[in-house]
Amino acid sequence: MHDILRKLDVPLWKVPRIAHRMRAQKRADMAHIPLFPGVSTMLRALADAGLTLALVSSDNEANARDMLGASNAALIAHFACGAALFGKAKKFKRVIRQAGVAPDVTIAIGDEIRDIEAARAAGITCAAVTWGYTAPEALRAQKPDVMFRRMEDIATTLTTGRGDS
């Protein structure tokens, strides 16, 4: 993220204002932004397997819940939203405490390099998905503990320990 900001010549002091504008724009366009295919099935499979689900996001909770839809949002036990651009590690730690789970049985799955960095800073397993914000090659270069190539691999891997990740 620092490299992107530097390349675009955006000073750090402007980031909060840009983030606020982006969230507002997303909110305005939310009805036209679909979830990735398979999200509902994956979340249901994880919840049915008894896993505690949490969502840590830079976006605000209202946007996150609206994006997921009511039935998917109901599967999420803990929301930690509104993370500062580099504040996800603190949110991960707080969610882990709230959930009453140990860091060594927690996995953070994200689509950005900063998600991997935040998971490592929080002392939890980091996984990356090959769809989403960051190019798969850039994520692989960060050497996440797990890479998921397909949505269905998430539930398969986390509920059975097998997958094509």
Side-chain angles (χ1 to χ4, degrees):
M1 185 60 68
H2 287 290
D3 292 340
I4 292 170
L5 294 174
R6 207 173 5 264
K7 185 166 179 76
L8 295 175
D9 197 27
V10 175
L12 276 177
W13 66 267
K14 285 188 178 182
V15 171
R17 184 178 223 167
I18 293 168
H20 177 75
R21 171 97 167 103
M22 289 174 62
R23 282 188 199 107
Q25 187 65 50
K26 179 182 177 183
R27 183 87 182 139
D29 294 338
M30 191 152 333
H32 307 291
I33 304 170
L35 286 175
F36 286 104
V39 167
S40 298
T41 302
M42 179 266 301
L43 290 174
R44 171 58 57 199
L46 294 174
D48 287 350
L51 298 178
T52 300
L53 304 180
L55 179 74
V56 173
S57 176
S58 299
D59 203 351
N60 65 51
E61 186 171 335
N63 279 359
R65 285 179 179 276
D66 286 349
M67 190 77 214
L68 285 169
S71 59
N72 288 330
L75 301 172
I76 308 295
H78 304 277
F79 283 85
C81 298
L85 193 57
F86 301 104
K88 281 189 178 179
K90 288 180 184 177
K91 296 278 186 178
F92 283 144
K93 289 176 182 179
R94 184 169 50 115
V95 164
I96 291 166
R97 273 194 315 277
Q98 288 174 341
V101 296
D104 64 336
V105 296
T106 303
I107 185 170
I109 303 171
D111 67 346
E112 296 183 47
I113 290 170
R114 67 190 180 109
D115 296 330
I116 295 169
E117 293 169 344
R120 287 189 174 134
I124 59 179
T125 299
C126 57
V129 298
T130 59
W131 60 92
Y133 181 76
T134 306
E137 302 77 34
L139 294 168
R140 268 189 212 92
Q142 299 302 309
K143 297 182 173 45
D145 300 309
V146 182
M147 282 281 292
F148 293 113
R149 292 184 296 114
R150 301 176 310 162
M151 182 73 68
E152 57 269 22
D153 292 339
I154 296 172
T156 302
T157 300
L158 298 183
T159 61
T160 67
R162 296 187 319 266
D164 193 23
S165 55

